[in-house]
Amino acid sequence: MLGRDLVTRKAEEKWGTGIVEQVSLDLQNEFPNIKGFSARNLWNMKKWYLFYSSSSQFENKIKHIADSLNTSFIKLHQVGAEMQEVDFLHQAGAEIAFPSLFSYIPWRHHVEIITKCTDINESLFYIQRTIQEGWSRAALLNAIEADLYHKTGGAITNFEQHLELTQSKLAKEITKETYDLGFISLPPEYDENDLEDALEQNITQFLLELGTGFAFVGRQKEIVVAGKTRKIDMLFYHIKLRCYVVVELKVTAFDPEFAGKLNFYVNAVNELIKTENENPTIGLLICKDMNQTEVQWAFQGIQTPMGVATYNQVQIKEITDALPSVEEIQKRIELAEIEFNLNRNDCT
């Protein structure tokens, strides 16, 4: 591994700062048909090695990710990119096998990750999500720019109290602190119906924002309780969790009464829709803003698993959208002229 060799042999100390450029030229001359030996790429290899070899918990973290992924069904993004565990990271005086897990994403992804991430936990988060969701480099960069690492799992929930451990951890992972709805445009004084309409019309983008595993069941899902018809804003099913997810949308800040309504809908889905083989339904309230204390107090006494998150980045439609077009104005002028002429003729 070139990055390792440049570090462990202290190449720059022994042969000067130009050694990397010289090694690059030598490799390109020796292997003219193989790409990837530019000086810039060699510097990236060294940077990559230093980034990961600095953690004493690297091997354990990699094992945890590998255990959570079913990589046998994951297609490699680069033909021939799979690496065998024959290279090693020098760490705390020992050599640790290079993880073949890293071969499941392209090298340029790795470069972007080590360049933009501040620690190994963050970088491994993006590596895992890239493998799980098949992110392109553009999608990866968008996720990093949106700070998905710090926002994922940030919703206020009671999952730990009302779901078994494995289910609770996964449920936490699929919820975000804030959902980016920048893919929809709404009028300045939009209401919940407008928000639902826009999300339904852009359901593909909304599913991408929710994350992998969500399937859309329906909007304004009708349920009948005690002879009365109720309607759930949006109902989803999470394939990996094997449970329904009730999503309620609010265009205002969180109010404690919202928790009671969401609790009612979650219970209704459990009683009327969920089967015995499925896990307990989860409720997710997405509102404009929230106060952590209010949410936590509202959850007290509630026995159903639910979370509260916020949304942002909704695009407000330009005021020109509400104004008549040039053609419409011209027609109105023509009609006004005709009406004026008719009235004038009547007078004469």
Side-chain angles (χ1 to χ4, degrees):
M1 191 161 60
L2 287 173
R4 177 198 61 196
D5 292 342
L6 290 171
V7 174
T8 58
R9 296 185 182 184
K10 300 180 180 179
E12 292 165 81
E13 293 181 20
K14 292 182 179 179
W15 299 292
T17 56
I19 186 59
V20 174
E21 285 72 14
Q22 185 59 53
V23 170
S24 170
L25 292 173
D26 292 343
L27 288 171
Q28 291 181 69
N29 288 331
E30 186 71 21
F31 306 101
N33 297 322
I34 299 179
K35 296 182 179 180
F37 291 136
S38 67
R40 180 180 179 182
N41 214 24
L42 263 59
W43 282 114
N44 283 332
M45 292 177 191
K46 178 182 178 182
K47 181 179 179 181
W48 181 93
Y49 178 85
L50 288 170
F51 185 88
Y52 288 108
S53 63
S54 64
S55 172
S56 61
Q57 297 296 316
F58 178 78
E59 190 173 26
N60 290 334
K61 294 178 187 296
I62 286 293
K63 185 178 184 303
H64 175 74
I65 293 177
D67 289 343
S68 67
L69 292 172
N70 182 5
T71 55
S72 62
F73 295 101
I74 300 174
K75 293 182 179 179
L76 297 181
H77 291 266
Q78 290 179 315
V79 177
E82 188 169 5
M83 305 175 187
Q84 301 301 320
E85 296 186 354
V86 295
D87 288 315
F88 299 87
L89 291 177
H90 288 266
Q91 184 180 82
E95 287 190 334
I96 294 179
F98 178 89
S100 60
L101 183 73
F102 276 25
S103 67
Y104 285 92
I105 66 174
W107 170 244
R108 289 306 307 171
H109 284 57
H110 281 292
V111 173
E112 298 291 358
I113 288 171
I114 62 170
T115 300
K116 294 178 170 59
C117 294
T118 57
D119 59 48
I120 287 179
N121 289 328
E122 184 178 5
S123 70
L124 294 181
F125 168 84
Y126 288 112
I127 285 174
Q128 180 175 1
R129 293 298 289 269
T130 298
I131 294 172
Q132 287 176 322
E133 303 185 23
W135 280 345
S136 64
R137 186 149 63 102
L140 169 65
L141 290 174
N142 288 338
I144 295 175
E145 183 179 351
D147 198 19
L148 187 63
Y149 170 68
H150 291 101
K151 292 179 179 178
T152 296
I156 301 175
T157 74
N158 61 3
F159 296 156
E160 292 181 358
Q161 292 79 21
H162 302 299
L163 292 174
E164 61 93 14
L165 184 60
T166 303
Q167 193 83 348
S168 171
K169 287 183 177 180
L170 182 54
K172 287 285 289 184
E173 288 178 4
I174 68 167
T175 55
K176 301 179 181 180
E177 178 182 1
T178 303
Y179 290 87
D180 184 348
L181 303 186
F183 53 87
I184 62 174
S185 297
L186 295 171
E189 296 183 2
Y190 65 88
D191 57 21
E192 274 134 28
N193 190 61
D194 295 326
L195 181 58
E196 288 178 36
D197 279 342
L199 291 178
E200 185 179 30
Q201 291 167 11
N202 296 273
I203 193 61
T204 300
Q205 290 92 329
F206 189 36
L207 286 169
L208 289 173
E209 178 61 18
L210 288 173
T212 301
F214 281 90
F216 182 48
V217 177
R219 176 200 168 195
Q220 289 295 301
K221 180 67 176 178
E222 186 176 289
I223 54 175
V224 179
V225 181
K228 295 181 180 179
T229 297
R230 312 278 185 173
K231 292 183 178 181
I232 298 170
D233 285 351
M234 304 188 87
L235 185 63
F236 296 86
Y237 191 86
H238 196 274
I239 298 170
K240 194 169 183 180
L241 279 169
R242 290 195 302 110
C243 73
Y244 287 97
V245 181
V246 173
V247 174
E248 283 292 294
L249 302 167
K250 298 295 178 184
V251 298
T252 59
F254 175 82
D255 189 286
E257 69 179 24
F258 298 161
K261 184 177 182 182
L262 181 59
N263 179 54
F264 175 84
Y265 285 143
V266 170
N267 285 324
V269 171
N270 280 334
E271 295 293 332
L272 301 174
I273 302 177
K274 184 184 86 68
T275 66
E276 292 182 359
N277 297 324
E278 292 169 328
N279 289 314
T281 303
I282 292 173
L284 178 61
L285 175 70
I286 304 177
C287 53
K288 186 64 177 175
D289 197 7
M290 63 175 168
N291 177 277
Q292 183 173 345
T293 302
E294 283 190 334
V295 175
Q296 290 174 340
W297 286 14
F299 279 176
Q300 291 183 18
I302 290 179
Q303 300 301 310
T304 56
M306 62 175 62
V308 178
T310 58
Y311 71 87
N312 62 14
Q313 303 299 329
V314 169
Q315 304 299 304
I316 301 301
K317 290 182 179 180
E318 297 290 341
I319 191 170
T320 53
D321 289 353
L323 296 175
S325 65
V326 175
E327 292 77 10
E328 290 174 330
I329 293 175
Q330 184 62 40
K331 288 182 180 179
R332 292 182 187 182
I333 293 174
E334 292 173 356
L335 289 174
E337 289 178 347
I338 293 173
E339 185 176 354
F340 174 77
N341 291 330
L342 288 174
N343 290 335
R344 186 176 62 178
N345 291 334
D346 290 340
C347 292
T348 58

